[in-house]
CSV table of all heavy atoms in Angstrom, one decimal:
chain,number,residue,atom,x,y,z
B,157,MET,N,141.0,141.7,140.6
B,157,MET,CA,141.6,142.3,139.4
B,157,MET,C,142.2,141.3,138.4
B,157,MET,O,141.9,141.4,137.2
B,157,MET,CB,142.8,143.2,139.8
B,157,MET,CG,142.4,144.5,140.4
B,157,MET,SD,143.7,145.6,140.8
B,157,MET,CE,144.3,146.1,139.2
B,158,ILE,N,142.8,140.3,138.9
B,158,ILE,CA,143.3,139.2,138.0
B,158,ILE,C,142.2,138.5,137.3
B,158,ILE,O,142.2,138.2,136.1
B,158,ILE,CB,144.2,138.3,138.8
B,158,ILE,CG1,145.5,139.0,139.3
B,158,ILE,CG2,144.6,137.0,138.0
B,158,ILE,CD1,146.4,138.2,140.2
B,159,LEU,N,141.1,138.2,138.1
B,159,LEU,CA,140.0,137.5,137.5
B,159,LEU,C,139.3,138.3,136.5
B,159,LEU,O,138.8,137.8,135.4
B,159,LEU,CB,139.0,136.9,138.5
B,159,LEU,CG,139.4,135.6,139.2
B,159,LEU,CD1,138.6,135.3,140.4
B,159,LEU,CD2,139.4,134.5,138.1
B,160,SER,N,139.2,139.7,136.7
B,160,SER,CA,138.6,140.5,135.7
B,160,SER,C,139.5,140.6,134.5
B,160,SER,O,139.0,140.6,133.3
B,160,SER,CB,138.3,141.9,136.3
B,160,SER,OG,139.4,142.5,136.7
B,161,ASN,N,140.8,140.5,134.7
B,161,ASN,CA,141.8,140.5,133.6
B,161,ASN,C,141.5,139.3,132.7
B,161,ASN,O,141.6,139.3,131.5
B,161,ASN,CB,143.2,140.5,134.1
B,161,ASN,CG,143.7,141.9,134.5
B,161,ASN,OD1,144.3,142.0,135.6
B,161,ASN,ND2,143.3,142.9,133.7
B,162,MET,N,141.3,138.1,133.4
B,162,MET,CA,141.1,136.9,132.7
B,162,MET,C,139.8,136.8,131.9
B,162,MET,O,139.7,136.5,130.7
B,162,MET,CB,141.2,135.6,133.6
B,162,MET,CG,142.6,135.4,134.3
B,162,MET,SD,143.9,135.1,133.1
B,162,MET,CE,144.7,136.7,133.0
B,163,SER,N,138.8,137.1,132.6
B,163,SER,CA,137.4,137.1,132.0
B,163,SER,C,137.3,138.1,130.9
B,163,SER,O,136.7,137.9,129.8
B,163,SER,CB,136.3,137.3,133.1
B,163,SER,OG,136.4,138.4,133.8
B,164,GLY,N,137.7,139.3,131.2
B,164,GLY,CA,137.7,140.4,130.2
B,164,GLY,C,138.7,140.2,129.0
B,164,GLY,O,138.3,140.5,127.9
B,165,GLY,N,139.7,139.7,129.4
B,165,GLY,CA,140.8,139.3,128.4
B,165,GLY,C,140.3,138.3,127.4
B,165,GLY,O,140.6,138.4,126.2
B,166,LEU,N,139.6,137.3,127.8
B,166,LEU,CA,139.1,136.3,126.9
B,166,LEU,C,138.1,136.9,125.9
B,166,LEU,O,138.0,136.6,124.7
B,166,LEU,CB,138.4,135.2,127.7
B,166,LEU,CG,139.4,134.2,128.3
B,166,LEU,CD1,138.7,133.2,129.3
B,166,LEU,CD2,140.3,133.4,127.3
B,167,LEU,N,137.3,137.9,126.4
B,167,LEU,CA,136.4,138.6,125.6
B,167,LEU,C,137.1,139.5,124.5
B,167,LEU,O,136.8,139.5,123.4
B,167,LEU,CB,135.4,139.5,126.4
B,167,LEU,CG,134.5,138.8,127.4
B,167,LEU,CD1,133.9,139.7,128.4
B,167,LEU,CD2,133.4,138.1,126.6
B,168,LEU,N,138.1,140.2,125.0
B,168,LEU,CA,138.9,141.1,124.1
B,168,LEU,C,139.6,140.2,123.0
B,168,LEU,O,139.7,140.7,121.9
B,168,LEU,CB,139.8,141.9,124.8
B,168,LEU,CG,139.2,143.0,125.7
B,168,LEU,CD1,140.2,143.6,126.7
B,168,LEU,CD2,138.6,144.1,124.8
B,169,ALA,N,140.0,139.1,123.5
B,169,ALA,CA,140.8,138.2,122.5
B,169,ALA,C,140.0,137.8,121.3
B,169,ALA,O,140.4,137.5,120.3
B,169,ALA,CB,141.3,137.0,123.2
B,170,ARG,N,138.6,137.7,121.5
B,170,ARG,CA,137.7,137.3,120.5
B,170,ARG,C,137.7,138.4,119.4
B,170,ARG,O,137.6,138.1,118.2
B,170,ARG,CB,136.3,137.2,121.0
B,170,ARG,CG,136.1,136.0,121.7
B,170,ARG,CD,134.6,135.7,122.1
B,170,ARG,NE,134.4,134.4,122.5
B,170,ARG,CZ,133.2,133.9,122.8
B,170,ARG,NH1,132.2,134.6,122.8
B,170,ARG,NH2,133.1,132.6,123.1
B,171,MET,N,137.9,139.6,119.8
B,171,MET,CA,137.8,140.7,118.8
B,171,MET,C,139.1,141.1,118.3
B,171,MET,O,139.3,141.6,117.1
B,171,MET,CB,137.2,141.9,119.5
B,171,MET,CG,135.8,141.6,120.1
B,171,MET,SD,135.0,143.0,120.9
B,171,MET,CE,134.1,142.1,122.2
B,172,PHE,N,140.2,141.0,119.1
B,172,PHE,CA,141.5,141.4,118.6
B,172,PHE,C,142.6,140.4,118.6
B,172,PHE,O,143.8,140.8,118.3
B,172,PHE,CB,141.9,142.6,119.6
B,172,PHE,CG,140.9,143.7,119.6
B,172,PHE,CD1,140.2,144.0,120.8
B,172,PHE,CD2,140.6,144.4,118.5
B,172,PHE,CE1,139.3,145.0,120.9
B,172,PHE,CE2,139.6,145.4,118.6
B,172,PHE,CZ,139.0,145.8,119.7
B,173,GLY,N,142.3,139.2,118.8
B,173,GLY,CA,143.2,138.1,118.6
B,173,GLY,C,143.9,137.6,119.9
B,173,GLY,O,144.0,138.3,120.9
B,174,ASP,N,144.3,136.4,119.9
B,174,ASP,CA,144.9,135.7,121.0
B,174,ASP,C,146.1,136.4,121.6
B,174,ASP,O,146.4,136.3,122.8
B,174,ASP,CB,145.3,134.3,120.7
B,174,ASP,CG,144.0,133.5,120.4
B,174,ASP,OD1,142.9,134.0,120.4
B,174,ASP,OD2,144.2,132.2,120.2
B,175,ASP,N,146.9,137.0,120.7
B,175,ASP,CA,148.1,137.7,121.2
B,175,ASP,C,147.8,138.8,122.2
B,175,ASP,O,148.7,139.2,123.0
B,175,ASP,CB,148.9,138.2,120.0
B,175,ASP,CG,148.1,138.9,119.0
B,175,ASP,OD1,146.9,138.5,118.8
B,175,ASP,OD2,148.6,140.0,118.4
B,176,GLN,N,146.6,139.4,122.1
B,176,GLN,CA,146.3,140.4,123.0
B,176,GLN,C,146.1,139.8,124.4
B,176,GLN,O,146.4,140.5,125.4
B,176,GLN,CB,145.0,141.1,122.6
B,176,GLN,CG,145.0,141.7,121.2
B,176,GLN,CD,146.2,142.6,121.0
B,176,GLN,OE1,146.4,143.6,121.6
B,176,GLN,NE2,147.0,142.3,119.9
B,177,PHE,N,145.7,138.7,124.5
B,177,PHE,CA,145.5,138.0,125.8
B,177,PHE,C,146.9,137.7,126.4
B,177,PHE,O,147.0,137.8,127.6
B,177,PHE,CB,144.7,136.6,125.6
B,177,PHE,CG,144.3,136.0,126.9
B,177,PHE,CD1,143.3,136.6,127.7
B,177,PHE,CD2,144.9,134.9,127.5
B,177,PHE,CE1,142.9,136.1,128.9
B,177,PHE,CE2,144.5,134.4,128.6
B,177,PHE,CZ,143.5,134.8,129.3
B,178,SER,N,147.8,137.3,125.5
B,178,SER,CA,149.2,137.1,126.0
B,178,SER,C,149.8,138.3,126.7
B,178,SER,O,150.4,138.3,127.7
B,178,SER,CB,150.1,136.7,124.9
B,178,SER,OG,149.6,135.5,124.2
Side-chain angles (χ1 to χ4, degrees):
Chain B
M157 285 184 72
I158 292 172
L159 278 171
S160 61
N161 281 138
M162 295 298 100
S163 56
L166 287 170
L167 295 164
L168 288 166
R170 286 190 161 179
M171 306 179 211
F172 304 117
D174 293 2
D175 46 323
Q176 307 306 302
F177 191 73
S178 305

